Amino acid sequence: LDAHGVTLALVGPDENVAHGDQSTGIKVADLATAVTAIVEHGGDVVVPATAGPHETRAVLRDPWGNTVVLYQPLVVSS
């Protein structure tokens, strides 16, 4: 669903990269930099960066225990 610049997507069991945890997905311009920043501020990597069919994504837990999925869209060359 596209709501004026905010995209809401629901995933099925085969794409649940957060292993059943409720999570928020956040699109980032540079996945490696974003992961490093979260870890430096007390977060933990749950699933390292992995290439999926549409994006590269990583699952992290913030310092308060919340699960977040960070993703960077794949660059499609023409």
Side-chain angles (χ1 to χ4, degrees):
L1 303 171
D2 187 8
H4 305 287
V6 175
T7 302
L8 174 63
L10 303 175
V11 298
D14 57 333
E15 285 196 56
N16 185 352
V17 297
H19 304 293
D21 289 346
Q22 293 181 357
S23 62
T24 300
I26 301 171
K27 181 171 141 181
V28 297
D30 184 335
L31 182 60
T33 299
V35 168
T36 298
I38 289 177
V39 170
E40 286 177 350
H41 288 88
D44 296 308
V45 175
V46 176
V47 178
T50 306
H54 310 288
E55 71 274 332
T56 300
R57 55 192 172 207
V59 181
L60 296 103
R61 196 158 283 123
D62 70 17
W64 302 275
N66 301 299
T67 303
V68 61
V69 178
L70 300 181
Y71 70 94
Q72 178 179 340
L74 294 178
V75 176
V76 179
S77 59
S78 50

